[in-house]
Amino acid sequence: MLTSPPQPTPPLPLRWLRTLWQTHPPLLISGLLFAAMVVFFGAGILLDGRTVLGAPAWLKPTKFAVSFVIYNLTLLWMLGFVEGRPRLVSALAWLIVATSLIETLAIAGQAARGTTSHYNTATALDAAVWSVMGATIIVLWLTHLGITLLIVFQRFGHPAFALSLRLGLGITLLGLLEAFLMASPLGQALASAGGVSSPVALAGIAGAHSVGVADGGAGLPVLGWSTEGGDLRAGHFNGIHALQVLPLCAWLLTRLRLSVPQQVALVRTAGASYLAVMVLVVWQALRGQPITAPDALTAAVFAAIVLSAGASAVLIWRRPSPARAA
């Protein structure tokens, strides 16, 4: 009896792409489009010698394109775990597509004009672009909240993995929210309360990411975080990447001979420690300290977080584990 030969299994990257495509094709296409933008804007850095606030004009669009490649594809992967509610999943995915594209194109448009995008109200056009960006950021945050709630109420077979997704989404929600400090007088008020003079209010500027110094000074390579004063972007960056870090931690834990309660406890410890570091970095920035020059108090708090996390991990690891007993 003749039998058909077994069908070859697609390589792992192709299987991932197929799964992502089945979840929401437009969101996958947007991730690939942002990857193309990275190349295009990166070429602008090499070919266009203009600078904005001391950095290459096309550096900010490039960084945002990279960020949205990671963010959009991560959310697409997470939405693939949601069972049912296809219309709601599709609506949320479309909102991610729209908001990320509007935000990046606005930044790129201002870069092409040789001016800043964030907090810029110098002209009617600049103010209109900044207003659109501000509204887009709010819609993006609310969309992320909706996705977080979907994952919170979704049933999963593995408790530690489920917890990592929920903690990652929740901490990222706070990291996104922290960005509103940069466009709000509240950030300057908090900085002044910490004994640091806020940046001088300039005509045509509706916010700042630096504390104690003007935006655009000396900063870390590529990231640009101030090395002269506080910089709220560090906490924002830290927060939004909990979305990738905590699920990765959970995946690594599943490779170890640990019981499910141990894995859950370790993920909980990782999430609490990650959140504590994010809060510390924001607090450091609001006190006018560069990320590269923490004072003794900041260093002591960071050491306490690391030691607490390490001690908790050791205690959890040493618990009797059915997997080890076997």
Side-chain angles (χ1 to χ4, degrees):
M1 179 178 179
L2 296 177
T3 59
S4 59
Q7 296 298 316
T9 302
L12 189 57
L14 292 180
R15 277 184 280 163
W16 283 345
L17 286 174
R18 181 181 297 172
T19 300
L20 295 177
W21 179 266
Q22 291 171 348
T23 300
H24 194 264
L27 190 50
L28 174 59
I29 292 171
S30 78
L32 299 177
L33 178 60
F34 280 116
M37 288 184 188
V38 172
V39 177
F40 181 77
F41 297 151
I45 296 175
L46 299 176
L47 301 175
D48 189 343
R50 294 177 300 165
T51 61
V52 176
L53 293 180
W58 291 98
L59 179 59
K60 179 171 281 191
T62 304
K63 291 193 292 185
F64 269 76
V66 170
S67 180
F68 278 124
V69 169
I70 299 170
Y71 181 75
N72 286 20
L73 293 183
T74 301
L75 287 184
L76 176 59
W77 170 67
M78 290 186 174
L79 285 171
F81 294 107
V82 178
E83 297 176 354
R85 307 177 187 274
R87 292 184 180 179
L88 180 56
V89 168
S90 180
L92 292 171
W94 270 115
L95 283 171
I96 293 296
V97 172
T99 53
S100 57
L101 283 174
I102 291 171
E103 188 79 4
T104 305
L105 291 176
I107 294 168
Q110 292 294 75
R113 295 178 60 226
T115 188
T116 57
S117 51
H118 287 68
Y119 330 123
N120 188 352
T121 58
T123 68
L125 177 59
D126 294 326
V129 171
W130 175 233
S131 295
V132 169
M133 290 177 64
T136 302
I137 292 169
I138 293 172
V139 173
L140 177 63
W141 189 87
L142 292 172
T143 304
H144 187 98
L145 174 62
I147 295 173
T148 301
L149 293 175
L150 278 180
I151 297 297
V152 165
F153 292 106
Q154 174 64 44
R155 291 181 179 274
F156 289 88
H158 199 293
F161 179 67
L163 180 61
S164 73
L165 295 184
R166 291 160 183 161
L167 288 176
L169 284 162
I171 295 174
T172 296
L173 199 64
L174 295 176
L176 291 169
L177 188 64
E178 188 263 347
F180 289 98
L181 282 177
M182 307 179 205
S184 166
L186 177 60
Q188 295 181 348
L190 290 173
S192 298
V196 178
S197 298
S198 300
V200 178
L202 301 175
I205 301 296
H209 52 71
S210 299
V211 177
V213 294
D215 287 352
L220 293 175
V222 182
L223 293 171
W225 302 341
S226 177
T227 55
E228 299 174 328
D231 200 314
L232 293 165
R233 293 177 297 179
H236 178 61
F237 179 92
N238 180 276
I240 63 177
H241 286 294
L243 201 62
Q244 294 84 34
V245 172
L246 293 179
L248 178 60
C249 287
W251 179 81
L252 292 173
L253 288 172
T254 62
R255 298 298 187 266
L256 303 176
R257 291 176 58 84
L258 297 170
S259 66
V260 171
Q262 284 176 309
Q263 292 175 6
V264 171
L266 286 170
V267 169
R268 188 179 294 116
T269 298
S273 302
Y274 196 100
L275 177 60
V277 170
M278 186 194 81
V279 172
L280 174 63
V281 170
V282 174
W283 180 55
Q284 178 184 1
L286 290 172
R287 290 160 60 222
Q289 292 177 28
I291 192 69
T292 54
D295 65 6
L297 179 58
T298 302
V301 173
F302 179 73
I305 294 171
V306 173
L307 290 174
S308 297
S312 297
V314 169
L315 291 174
I316 295 167
W317 193 280
R318 291 173 64 86
R319 287 179 187 172
S321 169
R324 290 181 183 175

